[in-house]
Amino acid sequence: MAIPRSSDFTSATMLDQFDDMMSPPGLTNHWATVQVDHDVLAVRSLNVPPLSQGDSVSGRLYLDGRLAESYGQPVEVIWRPDRVERSTTIDGWDIRTTTITPSDLPGVVVHIEVDNTTSEERELDFGSWVHSTVVRSATPWLECLPPSGPNTLEAEGALRWATPKDGSQAVSLQALVHASGEPVEDISDTDRIVRMRTRVAGGASWKGAWIHVLATDKATATEHFDAVRSALEGSIEACEKAWDAELAQIFSTESGLYSGALPEIHTSNKALEKLYWWGAMGTVWFRRDNPASVLGRTYDTLMPRHWQTTTFIWDYALSSLVHAQLDPEVMRRQVSHWISLD
């Protein structure tokens, strides 16, 4: 097989146990970047330049009013370029999540499935802790962590709105919804947690999603939220399809996505084939097509937690052969930009 698919990059199953020194994997849609956190639901470092939240964590899971991480159950984690799958078992509940960053969404979606492993009907008391530090900085991002600041949080049913206390033009919208896209009935007595209860028959499951988007105003945030919740069904498959198409375009001069292309590799040596594919992935993973970029397309050096808008010349040089073949026009402009600054 000369053209890889997203499934070809599937990681080994990583076990995230309490107090392990593990850095959970990240995701990107070449605009937003985000990292999953140590529990089965939470995400961190959602940043969509020029909107940023630093390294804040939100979406921590609560079961029966108790922080899920406090149970000490390990979480299994599997990364692919199109998704991160996490799973754990707590008190007879099998909890599985699939985290995605849909194309053109300034945010993240965590699909949730909770199975009742017992034979008896039970009440599922499911909650998600909310945190936001979104800001829109008027100055360049010159630190390793993006800007962040205190927010004002406001509840609207199962939706949580957050705005910066510094008055900058930024909005964070987070919500817990059913698989249908309808917000859950929130029973929480605090703005900091979205909480719902539902009866789940023995052997049955509840499905839903945690949605987190950033925007410059409430109207735009609502548009993004409505678009993603109306397309929840099939969104995981859509992300896979988008990444498979992107991988194919890496090796095609006809694609139009890149100004060049990488040669296909045809070999019976699977280890060599895998190494070559990962070399390509290690470059395209950092492509940023941000509508706010003053340079147009860029290739950042790091993600998801640090330096999301920075390209270090020495790191660019390490992958210069790939850049020269895959996207020579962008490379030429980037090098010219650096020279103009010298």
Side-chain angles (χ1 to χ4, degrees):
M1 181 171 58
I3 304 297
R5 301 172 66 87
S6 52
S7 58
D8 292 311
F9 294 91
T10 303
S11 74
T13 299
M14 299 169 278
L15 195 64
D16 192 345
Q17 301 182 95
F18 179 74
D19 212 27
D20 272 0
M21 297 295 289
M22 175 184 174
S23 180
L27 289 170
T28 186
N29 56 12
H30 307 295
W31 182 17
T33 60
V34 68
Q35 182 180 23
V36 302
D37 200 45
H38 295 287
D39 85 349
V40 73
L41 178 62
V43 295
R44 69 190 303 155
S45 302
L46 172 61
N47 291 285
V48 188
L51 307 177
S52 59
Q53 299 189 111
D55 186 33
S56 66
V57 182
S58 193
R60 284 191 169 114
L61 174 61
Y62 275 74
L63 283 177
D64 294 322
R66 175 179 169 182
L67 186 66
E69 285 181 277
S70 70
Y71 288 89
Q73 292 296 100
V75 177
E76 292 187 345
V77 184
I78 299 174
W79 176 90
R80 293 169 35 153
D82 60 322
R83 70 186 75 163
V84 175
E85 298 173 349
R86 289 173 284 173
S87 60
T88 191
T89 300
I90 299 174
D91 192 28
W93 299 105
D94 276 352
I95 308 164
R96 298 185 301 279
T97 63
T98 302
T99 306
I100 58 174
T101 50
S103 301
D104 301 322
L105 178 75
V108 61
V109 179
V110 185
H111 287 261
I112 308 162
E113 184 169 357
V114 184
D115 295 339
N116 179 2
T117 63
T118 72
S119 58
E120 302 294 328
E121 181 180 85
R122 304 171 66 198
E123 181 177 73
L124 173 65
D125 185 334
F126 189 97
S128 182
W129 182 76
V130 182
H131 185 53
S132 177
T133 58
V134 67
V135 294
R136 180 172 182 170
S137 176
T139 58
W141 296 12
L142 299 179
E143 303 292 335
C144 64
L145 285 176
S148 62
N151 280 193
T152 299
L153 202 60
E154 176 186 349
E156 182 186 330
L159 280 61
R160 295 295 186 271
W161 294 95
T163 52
K165 289 186 177 181
D166 66 6
S168 58
Q169 193 175 8
V171 172
S172 166
L173 173 56
Q174 304 178 56
L176 182 63
V177 302
H178 295 290
S180 64
E182 287 300 310
V184 303
E185 182 180 349
D186 183 24
I187 62 169
S188 176
D189 58 2
T190 172
D191 294 345
R192 285 292 176 183
I193 298 176
V194 181
R195 186 176 183 181
M196 65 119 196
R197 292 192 183 105
T198 187
R199 303 295 298 181
V200 181
S205 62
W206 174 81
K207 296 181 181 180
W210 178 250
I211 301 172
H212 188 175
V213 299
L214 304 182
T216 55
D217 56 76
K218 283 192 172 184
T220 305
T222 300
E223 288 179 11
H224 289 305
F225 174 67
D226 288 342
V228 73
R229 73 189 183 99
S230 66
L232 276 180
E233 185 176 358
S235 60
I236 296 174
E237 293 77 11
C239 275
E240 179 178 13
K241 185 177 180 181
W243 265 100
D244 287 348
E246 162 137 354
L247 290 168
Q249 290 178 91
I250 294 171
F251 305 97
S252 171
T253 56
E254 308 287 325
S255 73
L257 180 60
Y258 298 100
S259 56
L262 295 181
E264 295 181 21
I265 185 171
H266 295 268
T267 178
S268 59
N269 188 326
K270 293 301 179 182
L272 178 61
E273 181 183 65
K274 187 173 185 179
L275 181 64
Y276 182 74
W277 287 348
W278 272 106
M281 174 60 73
T283 299
V284 302
W285 184 249
F286 296 94
R287 191 189 89 232
R288 298 292 175 263
D289 289 323
N290 190 324
S293 173
V294 296
L295 292 177
R297 175 176 294 177
T298 59
Y299 288 85
D300 293 346
T301 294
L302 290 171
M303 65 83 68
R305 194 179 299 187
H306 301 114
W307 297 115
Q308 291 97 331
T309 60
T310 302
T311 305
F312 291 101
I313 190 169
W314 47 88
D315 293 287
Y316 201 96
L318 292 174
S319 53
S320 58
L321 290 178
V322 177
H323 287 291
Q325 295 179 85
L326 179 63
D327 221 349
E329 292 181 8
V330 174
M331 182 179 185
R332 189 177 295 111
R333 190 202 65 233
Q334 183 72 58
V335 172
S336 297
H337 175 66
W338 276 322
I339 292 173
S340 71
L341 298 175
D342 190 353

